[in-house]
Amino acid sequence: MKKTITIALSAVVLAGVLNSCGSKEKDTDTNADGTAKIEGTITMSGAFALYPLANVWAEEFRKEYPDVKFNISGGGAGKGMTDMLNGAADIAMYSKEISKVETDQGAYGFAVTKDAVIPTIAANNPVLAQLKAEGMKREELSAIFLKDAKQNWKGSSEKVNVYTRSDAAGAAETWAKYLGGKAQEELKGVAVFGDPGLADAVKKDKNGIGYNNVIYAYDINSGKKYPGLEVLPIDVNGNGKIDAEENFYETLGDLTKAIADGRYPSPPARELFLVTKGKPASPAVKAFLNWVLTKGQDFVVSNGYILLEKDNVQKQIQKL
């Protein structure tokens, strides 16, 4: 049975409100120049993976459409999907494939960017130099996260302390599937709420290991890993060492390039989605989604995410 830790972080509260108001959609009007004037409030809920970029998009969108306001909150992909299907949110931020059960309930998804789930460890791990030189094979990571047996760090008597997510998370499901599991519930370890909470728990435990979305391991401004946190390289080809083509974890730019060109495996690289209940009818929601898939793509790479292929973007636009 998983033990649950609640870590109080302001980043986890995620009240992400950009000039919120209580009103819902209002009628469209016309500006002096004849262009459509859009008003209303868009409520978004869900994946920590998309939360930082969604806030950037909302802020930039409001520069063109100042009468549209946003309420944005995290809480995990599962919460976002539930909120959207129940009518508590207009858009779910979703970080895994949309299931048939969800589409049968009306979930209508738009792929908007890509990122990846990466294994994270503490910067003061007792065998850090060895881990960075040798990495870990998928099978070794699977033994740590999917089996109950306690593992030792390579060449050490120190036990590995495993951390996972307590909230319904796309990152957790993606990580489990990469390791050969089927669902988040198969992951072992101490359960911690949210991406920021999981990163914080790992960096405070020299023997800790967890997994995070890329943006929670790297500082977007410096491109370097957050102090106290390291990324555990994956030995993709299984030859017992991190070869030059597998050595792309030092900076955010190196990693996102590797995700984009396929050197980092998929999964745990994956598409991220904005999901509505049915084809969106709200003028504000439609305008925002169209903007995200056009002008909004200009903010993807600079904020630590990966662009979709152009034909895929066009496919998403056509769904509007």
Side-chain angles (χ1 to χ4, degrees):
M1 182 177 293
K2 296 175 182 174
K3 177 183 176 184
T4 302
I5 290 179
T6 300
I7 297 180
L9 294 172
S10 58
V12 176
V13 175
L14 295 176
V17 178
L18 295 177
N19 293 324
S20 62
C21 70
S23 62
K24 273 289 187 180
E25 187 66 33
K26 298 179 182 179
D27 294 333
T28 59
D29 202 344
T30 305
N31 294 317
D33 61 1
T35 59
K37 180 179 180 181
I38 300 173
E39 300 176 300
T41 298
I42 298 174
T43 300
M44 301 171 65
S45 171
F48 286 92
L50 258 176
Y51 178 78
L53 184 56
N55 275 282
V56 171
W57 277 336
E59 183 178 356
E60 295 297 330
F61 180 78
R62 292 194 73 248
K63 291 178 181 178
E64 296 183 44
Y65 300 92
D67 296 312
V68 176
K69 300 171 177 63
F70 288 84
N71 293 326
I72 306 177
S73 62
K79 183 179 186 302
M81 182 64 75
T82 299
D83 286 347
M84 182 275 297
L85 291 175
N86 289 342
D90 302 299
I91 299 174
M93 300 177 289
Y94 211 58
S95 53
K96 57 182 177 178
E97 288 295 326
I98 303 166
S99 71
K100 185 178 184 302
V101 172
E102 291 159 343
T103 57
D104 287 346
Q105 295 179 69
Y108 193 84
F110 300 85
V112 290
T113 186
K114 292 174 68 175
D115 84 334
V117 183
I118 52 177
T120 48
I121 57 176
N124 61 342
N125 183 284
V127 289
L128 180 63
Q130 182 180 358
L131 290 172
K132 292 182 77 170
E134 299 176 2
M136 273 196 179
K137 302 173 186 176
R138 177 175 171 269
E139 294 76 14
E140 292 175 309
L141 290 165
S142 180
I144 288 173
F145 281 95
L146 296 180
K147 295 181 180 179
D148 275 321
K150 277 282 188 179
Q151 305 284 322
N152 282 9
W153 286 110
K154 291 183 176 186
S156 170
S157 60
E158 302 274 4
K159 296 289 185 182
V160 178
N161 295 330
V162 185
Y163 295 88
T164 186
R165 292 277 290 274
S166 63
D167 51 306
E173 182 172 307
T174 300
W175 188 238
K177 287 183 176 180
Y178 169 65
L179 298 178
K182 295 181 179 179
Q184 171 177 348
E185 291 73 22
E186 296 176 61
L187 296 172
K188 310 300 179 183
V190 177
V192 183
F193 179 79
D195 235 313
L198 185 50
D200 195 56
V202 169
K203 74 180 182 181
K204 289 179 178 178
D205 183 350
K206 69 174 185 177
N207 291 315
I209 186 171
Y211 51 89
N212 284 99
N213 293 298
V214 171
I215 202 66
Y216 293 94
Y218 292 84
D219 184 333
I220 187 66
N221 295 311
S222 68
K224 298 179 181 179
K225 285 161 279 191
Y226 283 114
L229 200 65
E230 266 292 346
V231 179
L232 175 61
I234 297 177
D235 179 12
V236 178
N237 63 19
N239 67 350
K241 63 180 181 178
I242 297 301
D243 299 314
E245 62 269 20
E246 298 170 316
N247 190 15
F248 43 68
Y249 298 92
E250 280 307 305
T251 70
L252 177 59
D254 290 341
L255 178 56
T256 54
K257 184 178 179 181
I259 296 168
D261 65 25
R263 283 177 291 149
Y264 190 80
S266 179
R270 58 5 191 335
E271 292 181 343
L272 302 178
F273 300 86
L274 294 179
V275 189
T276 57
K277 190 169 184 179
K279 188 174 181 179
S282 155
V285 171
K286 286 181 68 175
F288 176 65
L289 290 171
N290 184 73
W291 183 93
V292 163
L293 291 164
T294 52
K295 295 180 180 179
Q297 294 297 295
D298 292 342
F299 303 95
V300 168
V301 175
S302 60
N303 284 281
Y305 294 79
I306 295 91
L307 287 168
L308 297 175
E309 295 79 5
K310 290 183 178 179
D311 58 343
N312 193 4
V313 172
Q314 290 304 312
K315 178 181 176 182
Q316 305 306 315
I317 294 173
Q318 289 172 8
K319 291 167 70 175
L320 284 168

